[in-house]
Amino acid sequence: MARGQGPTVRRRRLASELRRLREAADLTIDEVGEKLECSASKVSRIETGHVGVTPRDARDMLALYGIVGDEQEALVQLAREARKRGWWHAYNEVFTGTFVGLEADATSLRAFQALLVPGLLQTERYAHAVIRALRPDAEDAEIRRRVAARMARQELLSDTPPVEYWAVVDEAVLHRVVDSPEVMAEQLYRMVSVAEKPNVTIQVVPFTAGAHPGMEGPFLIMGFPEQADPDVVYVDDSTSSGLYLEQPEDVRRYALMFDHLRAAALKPDDSVDLITEAAGRFAERVTAPAAVHHLEPRTP
């Protein structure tokens, strides 16, 4: 499936079009609900993309808005396609909201993390330790399931075509010991290896940069190929399903923040050198020679 053609993006596109057509017909949400004999909240949730719309509901709404013929059929077909299941539905108990569907359909991802290695770059053992720390009451089976889901997400980086991924991390990420020196060495060498991919760029904001725009917290900017699908900013929040920002002024603000972070960060090659040095220091702290051996970076 081509990027920008997934069910989550199609649902978002249809929701936007239904809202535009309702407004063009000079109807309020309450009036639509009354005429279609459904609740106004249902209409509102359809228009915000929080719930899907059946082809029948889409046809009824479009007829009410005066949309007929080929235009109506095209939008009803979009409703059918928006109801298809993505790979992430196998992890319904793990993924909430629309995040993973949007991420899977994006052509570009710009991520910032101040405390942790971004999820798409995490090793299995690092991810396990992080998820365990964030969910201390979770059963082992749930932790394993969440780790498996995170590993599945990482296939985005090697898809055809792959997503363009640009990650900026604070230098603190390289020094925080998650689980053990061995896990950290493995994790940092993994980042070095992934940075070799032509579609991946990793930069580090050094401590010497001082205060920077990312100190508010982590965020991800998801870009899409079609003009009809504007960029979305996802602001991570471990206490909820996260915050989605779609208003142009919000997206511009975070895009500017990311540009400032890239400018404050070390150049990509220098960043990889710094990550390699940090990985080497952790590897030296691993006492078992056999363990050190498998942590060594790959030779070109």
Side-chain angles (χ1 to χ4, degrees):
M1 181 181 294
R3 295 203 171 278
Q5 304 300 316
T8 304
V9 165
R10 288 181 182 276
R11 186 173 77 183
R12 179 176 175 236
R13 188 181 305 166
L14 178 61
S16 176
E17 189 65 7
L18 289 173
R19 182 172 62 250
R20 184 188 69 80
L21 291 171
R22 175 184 59 78
E23 292 171 348
D26 199 23
L27 291 169
T28 67
I29 287 177
D30 288 333
E31 288 172 336
V32 173
E34 183 179 347
K35 291 179 183 296
L36 296 182
E37 298 182 342
C38 68
S39 68
S41 64
K42 175 182 176 179
V43 178
S44 176
R45 283 164 28 218
I46 287 174
E47 289 190 359
T48 55
H50 289 153
V51 297
V53 55
T54 66
R56 180 176 179 177
D57 284 344
R59 193 182 301 278
D60 290 344
M61 295 174 77
L62 292 165
L64 180 61
Y65 304 155
I67 306 301
V68 296
D70 291 345
E71 184 178 1
Q72 183 187 96
E73 285 307 311
L75 290 170
V76 171
Q77 179 61 26
L78 190 60
R80 293 190 187 98
E81 293 168 352
R83 293 173 65 81
K84 293 179 180 177
R85 290 177 173 266
W87 67 264
W88 54 91
H89 282 277
Y91 297 95
N92 269 342
E93 77 281 17
V94 173
F95 295 127
T96 58
T98 60
F99 169 75
V100 71
L102 290 172
E103 179 189 62
D105 221 33
T107 51
S108 69
L109 298 171
R110 289 171 285 171
F112 172 73
Q113 275 284 357
L115 298 175
L116 301 170
V117 171
L120 292 183
L121 301 176
Q122 291 179 7
T123 64
E124 189 170 342
R125 292 199 295 174
Y126 184 98
H128 189 281
V130 167
I131 294 172
R132 168 60 70 193
L134 292 175
R135 298 176 178 272
D137 298 330
E139 299 288 339
D140 288 344
E142 179 186 346
I143 299 296
R144 290 194 297 270
R145 188 69 172 156
R146 289 183 175 277
V147 171
R150 186 162 297 182
M151 296 301 103
R153 281 175 54 209
Q154 295 180 1
E155 294 181 14
L156 284 171
L157 300 181
S158 53
D159 271 354
T160 303
V163 68
E164 292 294 327
Y165 185 64
W166 196 312
V168 177
V169 301
D170 192 280
E171 187 178 349
V173 171
L174 310 185
H175 300 285
R176 182 179 300 279
V177 182
V178 173
D179 190 271
S180 67
E182 180 180 348
V183 167
M184 285 304 301
E186 178 186 53
Q187 173 61 74
L188 296 181
Y189 281 138
R190 165 70 185 280
M191 292 175 68
V192 171
S193 175
V194 175
E196 296 174 359
K197 293 178 177 289
N199 59 304
V200 175
T201 302
I202 300 175
Q203 286 184 271
V204 178
V205 180
F207 289 140
T208 54
H212 58 72
M215 295 179 73
E216 265 189 11
F219 63 88
L220 174 69
I221 305 173
M222 295 177 274
F224 304 93
E226 300 293 334
Q227 190 172 0
D229 306 317
D231 292 358
V232 178
V233 177
Y234 176 78
V235 181
D236 199 5
D237 181 355
S238 61
T239 63
S240 70
S241 58
L243 177 66
Y244 298 88
L245 303 174
E246 300 182 60
Q247 293 301 314
E249 59 271 22
D250 291 326
V251 175
R252 280 195 297 269
R253 180 164 63 90
Y254 275 89
L256 182 61
M257 286 173 59
F258 193 79
D259 286 342
H260 280 292
L261 285 165
R262 288 191 300 187
L266 299 174
K267 294 178 180 179
D269 287 347
D270 294 334
S271 294
V272 169
D273 288 344
L274 184 64
I275 296 170
T276 302
E277 291 172 8
R281 288 194 294 270
F282 279 117
E284 289 172 359
R285 293 167 58 182
V286 180
T287 55
V292 175
H293 176 74
H294 85 273
L295 296 174
E296 293 177 354
R298 297 182 306 171
T299 55

